[in-house]
Amino acid sequence: MSPFLEYESSATGRALREGLAYMLVLRCFVGYFVASALTLPFLNALWLSELPVLAVVQLPKIGLAGWLRTQVVMVVIRALGLSRGSFSPDYIMARPYALVIAYLIPLGIFLGVVWVRTRMEKPYRWWVWVLLIMAGVDYGLTLYFAGGPGLSIY
């Protein structure tokens, strides 16, 4: 076997493993958004002592969004002169913007890498559309349910 053929087969194997890794991460993102969207209406239904169990699913996005809300978006609101002069109105106004940034940071980085490395060939393109649709559904449901009257997590 010539060295050229060995190199070609190892490059093909490496590209296949890389493609499988991207597909796995895409499916994990989709699974997370599906689980998140399905648990949002029932956040207040299951408690373990003082912990709302289904709210644990929301922690990755809500934790980042909460930090972005107070440390980034509210600062920008003040810098742009849009502040109403009080914490509460600015905090409420920053809510959807911080949440969308919390979605865009990890998805933007990951989808940028997938775009460059795979050129969005057919199986990736379909999964990216599914991911974007589920992220949009989860975003809307998070804004609707996470600040509800019973249990407010965001």
Side-chain angles (χ1 to χ4, degrees), residues 108-129:
I109 292 169
F110 174 68
L111 292 178
V113 170
V114 170
W115 184 284
V116 168
R117 298 295 294 166
T118 67
R119 300 291 182 218
M120 287 298 171
E121 292 173 357
K122 196 163 191 147
Y124 303 104
R125 186 179 326 126
W126 188 85
W127 278 100
V128 165
W129 278 113

Side-chain angles (χ1 to χ4, degrees), residues 14-115:
R14 201 169 335 128
L16 182 62
R17 284 191 303 274
E18 183 180 5
L20 290 173
Y22 294 142
M23 192 62 71
L24 176 67
V25 175
L26 273 168
R27 290 177 180 170
C28 286
F29 267 125
V30 169
Y32 172 74
F33 288 131
V34 167
S36 175
L38 290 176
T39 57
L40 276 164
F42 308 105
L43 287 177
N44 206 13
L46 182 62
W47 289 75
L48 181 64
S49 184
E50 297 287 323
L51 176 70
V53 176
L54 297 177
V56 173
V57 176
Q58 311 302 324
L59 284 178
K61 67 179 176 195
I62 297 302
L64 177 59
W67 180 82
L68 287 166
R69 188 180 195 177
T70 57
Q71 303 299 319
V72 177
V73 177
M74 288 178 66
V75 171
V76 170
I77 287 172
R78 271 184 249 118
L80 291 174
L82 300 173
S83 176
R84 297 193 181 134
S86 179
F87 180 84
S88 290
D90 292 351
Y91 190 71
I92 291 167
M93 184 169 56
R95 185 175 187 246
Y97 302 109
L99 188 60
V100 80
I101 294 168
Y103 279 80
L104 289 177
I105 289 172
L107 290 179
I109 292 169
F110 174 68
L111 292 178
V113 170
V114 170
W115 184 284

Side-chain angles (χ1 to χ4, degrees), residues 2-20:
S2 72
F4 179 73
L5 292 177
E6 286 177 21
Y7 173 76
E8 188 176 296
S9 66
S10 68
T12 304
R14 201 169 335 128
L16 182 62
R17 284 191 303 274
E18 183 180 5
L20 290 173

